[in-house]
Amino acid sequence: MIPIKLPKEQKDEMIEELQSFFYEERGEEIGTIAAERLLDHMMHRFAPYIYNQAVRDAKAAVNEKLSQVEDELYALERPVNRR
């Protein structure tokens, strides 16, 4: 899988979120380096699962829209008069 490259601002925000989580949930303070390593590990290990689920969700959304378009096109058909 292609590694995910996050903008620095986004990665920094995620690191802060991890630090807050550890403090609020476990009462532990972890440093920036530890939080960054944890984030990198989690992204490496779990990103494929999340990515694949996102692809499945997108496929379902596209199929839903395609079904709606097919219904709308069917509704536009005109009856054929046969003699």
Side-chain angles (χ1 to χ4, degrees):
M1 168 160 234
I2 298 170
I4 297 173
K5 295 288 184 182
L6 297 172
K8 181 178 177 356
E9 299 80 23
Q10 201 172 38
K11 189 170 183 176
D12 290 345
E13 185 176 329
M14 293 172 79
I15 289 168
E16 288 177 16
E17 288 289 333
L18 277 173
Q19 289 173 309
S20 294
F21 173 80
F22 265 78
Y23 185 75
E24 291 169 10
E25 294 293 321
R26 302 176 54 108
E28 299 175 23
E29 290 187 23
I30 62 171
T32 303
I33 294 172
E36 184 174 9
R37 290 192 68 214
L38 178 59
L39 177 60
D40 289 343
H41 172 74
M42 290 171 56
M43 289 188 56
H44 176 74
R45 299 294 287 173
F46 303 128
Y49 295 104
I50 296 166
Y51 175 85
N52 289 341
Q53 184 60 51
V55 168
R56 287 189 291 273
D57 291 347
K59 181 180 175 186
V62 168
N63 286 336
E64 172 79 23
K65 290 293 182 188
L66 184 56
S67 177
Q68 291 173 1
V69 168
E70 286 176 348
D71 291 344
E72 291 173 12
L73 288 172
Y74 180 74
L76 292 174
E77 288 186 1
R78 303 278 189 224
V80 176
N81 292 330
R82 295 186 189 237
R83 294 181 184 209

